[in-house]
Amino acid sequence: MIFCPETNNPGTLPNLIHPMQSRRDFLKTGTLLSAPGIVHISLTEAIEVSTRKSDPTILLRSSWNDNNIGDIGHSAGTLRIMERYLPQARLILWHAAPRPVTEALIRKNFPRVQIVNGGFEGADSDAKSEVMEAFRQADVYIHNSGMSMNYGLFNYEWGSTMSNLVPFYYCLENKIPFGLYGHSFDKFAPPSQLIYRDVLSRAAFIYTRDTESLDYIKEMGFSAPIMEFGPDGCFGIDVRDEEKGLAYLKQAGLDHQKFLTVVVRTNTPHLDSDGKGNLLNPTQTPEKMAEDRLRLDKLKAMITHWVRTTDLKVLIAPEALKETKYGKTLLYDHLDNDVKQKTVFRDTFWNADEAMSVYARAHTIFGMEPHSLIMGLALGVPIIHARPLAHGRKGWMFRDIGLPEWLFDIDRVSSEQLIDTLMTIEKGYPQAKNKVTKAMAYVAERQKATMETVAKATS
């Protein structure tokens, strides 16, 4: 909306923007908005005006997994950011594989978003035509937040590497701008850096969700025109399922801001992996099990201190499906009986909107995973992140948004440090909430800037 001082009413800028003016031309004349008699408009409004006539189509590849609410949250958050700052844009969400849990949430909360399924190549003809039609319509293609642009981190399979890069080659061939949004980069084993550097240097933009990744790609010689810090898309999430969330809180006996949420990440494979593991979900070797015990003993000490000191409850919640099993056997079952009586273990998985409705009522969220913590911050809830450094650079995002005192290496931090940090939050809760507000204000600033870049890429 634009304010016209001559009429003292909201309206359009008469005789300033021709109805057929392009987005590119409008952005070039942006200085006119500061002329005498014209009130400066916000970035959000500038983007809205610039897209009003041309209505760009944005194709977003996302939704990596239905068994991790963070992978669901990437999609819901980024779509909300786009709807907020580019309200006239047409949004297409591409799932390379069907994601029924994510799709249910998207259809409920984003009715205007079109979802397409299928592989970019090698898929059956119907799926391929649906995806390729989306590319033919796209004004910009965006690969969403995650860790998929790595080689040698999870495996050394060229097939998975090329499946992510081939769409970029198609965009280059067909002059479609493309970019990466809130991504982490951890490893380019030789000779993969030659390919990644060549392709991604021709991206319209690369936003990394942590500055460590940004430094890494610069060191590797990447040279895209815009390479900046841009928060994980999940920071934009605002979806809720109040009916399910409130029902669960009532059934679990959890009261508003009267419980600590604890999210674990164990050295265990996916439940359907037949024991085969990877970097984030490793096979349960004796060494990995011993590592888990050391880590979870720290959480046990923190939970015990919280319960016995505050007389408040604890919710052990799953960010990943597998922790509905291992969170119980490796943590909850090891708590002392008096602490167990004050601790709720959630043994069923949930969609991101139900989790959001529960997290909104938490006092504080502790996590070894980042995305429940991102959801907490988006809801105004203080967080503590203690992660294994081996899980990648993504954890540094909390330092980068201004919360370094709440970020730890789980293998180096002591239980006493975790307890001190938690009790400092509890004793100075208003101050902790203010820290969250300040951090999220910076996130919002960066979100606006990223969407301005997307708007320019579509012009």
Side-chain angles (χ1 to χ4, degrees):
M1 183 173 288
I2 301 172
F3 188 77
C4 294
E6 295 87 353
T7 61
N8 202 37
N9 285 307
T12 58
L13 291 176
N15 302 318
L16 181 59
I17 305 173
H18 189 276
M20 297 305 293
Q21 188 177 21
S22 71
R23 291 191 299 276
R24 184 183 290 108
D25 291 338
F26 170 77
L27 290 169
K28 288 180 180 177
T29 60
T31 54
L32 292 175
L33 299 178
S34 300
I38 299 297
V39 176
H40 178 71
I41 66 174
S42 71
L43 174 60
T44 305
E45 291 163 328
I47 294 173
E48 180 178 355
V49 170
S50 70
T51 61
R52 183 172 295 157
K53 291 299 179 183
S54 299
D55 300 347
T57 295
I58 301 172
L59 175 58
L60 176 70
R61 183 175 183 180
S62 190
S63 310
W64 317 120
N65 198 327
D66 264 356
N67 295 328
N68 185 307
I69 59 171
D71 288 329
I72 299 170
H74 294 310
S75 299
T78 302
L79 289 173
R80 186 64 78 208
I81 296 166
M82 290 175 173
E83 284 197 345
R84 182 176 299 134
Y85 296 115
L86 301 168
Q88 304 303 318
R90 176 177 172 236
L91 305 178
I92 304 177
L93 176 61
W94 173 27
H95 293 166
R99 303 290 183 212
V101 176
T102 303
E103 289 170 17
L105 181 140
I106 298 302
R107 289 194 171 97
K108 175 183 175 183
N109 293 277
F110 302 89
R112 294 193 303 114
V113 172
Q114 178 187 352
I115 299 174
V116 297
N117 283 298
F120 187 80
E121 64 172 344
D124 63 79
S125 57
D126 290 340
K128 185 176 180 180
S129 65
E130 182 179 53
V131 172
M132 298 313 297
E133 180 59 29
F135 270 90
R136 284 189 286 270
Q137 297 173 15
D139 293 300
V140 64
Y141 167 59
I142 299 175
H143 191 100
N144 205 13
S145 304
M147 303 169 67
S148 55
M149 294 292 161
N150 288 280
Y151 179 73
L153 181 66
F154 298 108
N155 57 57
Y156 292 87
E157 297 176 3
W158 279 109
S160 59
T161 295
M162 294 311 298
S163 70
N164 288 322
L165 293 179
V166 165
F168 296 148
Y169 280 112
Y170 177 89
C171 288
L172 289 169
E173 181 74 15
N174 291 278
K175 297 180 173 52
I176 303 169
F178 65 90
L180 288 89
Y181 195 80
H183 216 74
S184 287
F185 300 90
D186 288 279
K187 186 174 183 179
F188 298 118
S192 69
Q193 77 276 14
L194 303 176
I195 301 174
Y196 279 103
R197 184 170 57 222
D198 173 63
V199 179
L200 298 188
S201 291
R202 291 185 277 172
F205 54 86
I206 300 175
Y207 285 107
T208 68
R209 59 185 175 182
D210 57 271
T211 57
E212 298 291 319
S213 289
L214 182 59
D215 291 342
Y216 178 57
I217 61 173
K218 288 180 178 179
E219 290 170 6
M220 296 296 291
F222 287 44
S223 57
I226 295 177
M227 299 195 304
E228 298 175 359
F229 169 71
D232 189 301
C234 189
F235 275 102
I237 193 169
D238 63 359
V239 296
R240 301 270 197 104
D241 189 330
E242 294 289 88
E243 183 178 357
K244 285 186 178 179
L246 292 175
Y248 177 75
L249 290 166
K250 181 178 181 180
Q251 172 245 315
L254 298 171
D255 297 325
H256 182 68
Q257 288 188 357
K258 300 293 184 183
F259 65 96
L260 166 70
T261 296
V262 175
V263 179
V264 302
R265 182 72 181 224
T266 57
N267 282 326
T268 53
H270 290 302
L271 297 182
D272 59 355
S273 66
D274 297 325
K276 298 176 182 177
N278 57 37
L279 174 70
L280 299 180
N281 307 282
T283 302
Q284 280 186 288
T285 63
E287 294 77 15
K288 290 298 183 184
M289 294 172 71
E291 190 175 56
D292 266 343
R293 189 71 271 139
L294 290 173
R295 292 171 177 174
L296 297 178
D297 277 349
K298 298 173 185 180
L299 274 58
K300 176 184 174 183
M302 180 186 68
I303 291 170
T304 298
H305 185 90
W306 171 266
V307 168
R308 292 176 179 170
T309 303
T310 67
D311 198 36
L312 298 178
K313 290 188 173 183
V314 174
L315 168 65
I316 301 177
E319 181 165 319
L321 173 64
K322 69 173 189 171
E323 303 305 351
T324 59
K325 173 183 177 181
Y326 297 115
K328 181 178 188 300
T329 59
L330 299 182
L331 179 59
Y332 177 80
D333 287 350
H334 293 264
L335 299 174
D336 295 338
N337 286 334
D338 65 312
V339 178
K340 273 186 184 176
Q341 291 174 7
K342 285 279 192 175
T343 302
V344 176
F345 178 78
R346 180 167 177 124
D347 60 1
T348 57
F349 197 53
W350 48 6
N351 209 329
D353 51 356
E354 181 183 358
M356 285 280 288
S357 289
V358 172
Y359 291 162
R361 276 83 181 183
H363 179 285
T364 302
I365 304 176
F366 169 92
M368 295 171 66
E369 289 260 53
H371 289 91
S372 288
L373 306 180
I374 292 174
M375 294 174 184
L377 292 174
L379 294 160
V381 178
I383 61 99
I384 301 173
H385 188 32
R387 84 290 190 205
L389 292 185
H391 285 189
R393 294 184 168 96
K394 60 184 178 181
W396 292 110
M397 70 175 85
F398 297 107
R399 177 202 63 188
D400 293 335
I401 65 170
L403 300 173
E405 67 274 29
W406 292 346
L407 178 62
F408 300 96
D409 173 356
I410 188 63
D411 296 315
R412 291 177 177 265
V413 69
S414 67
S415 57
E416 290 77 16
Q417 285 175 289
L418 294 178
I419 290 168
D420 287 347
T421 302
L422 177 59
M423 299 316 295
T424 297
I425 291 173
E426 196 276 332
K427 291 172 183 176
Y429 201 59
Q431 291 86 353
K433 298 277 280 185
N434 286 338
K435 284 184 180 180
V436 175
T437 299
K438 184 177 179 181
M440 288 305 298
Y442 176 63
V443 168
E445 177 185 313
R446 293 305 304 147
Q447 288 170 341
K448 285 184 177 181
T450 63
M451 288 300 106
E452 182 177 45
T453 297
V454 173
K456 290 178 179 177
T458 66
S459 62

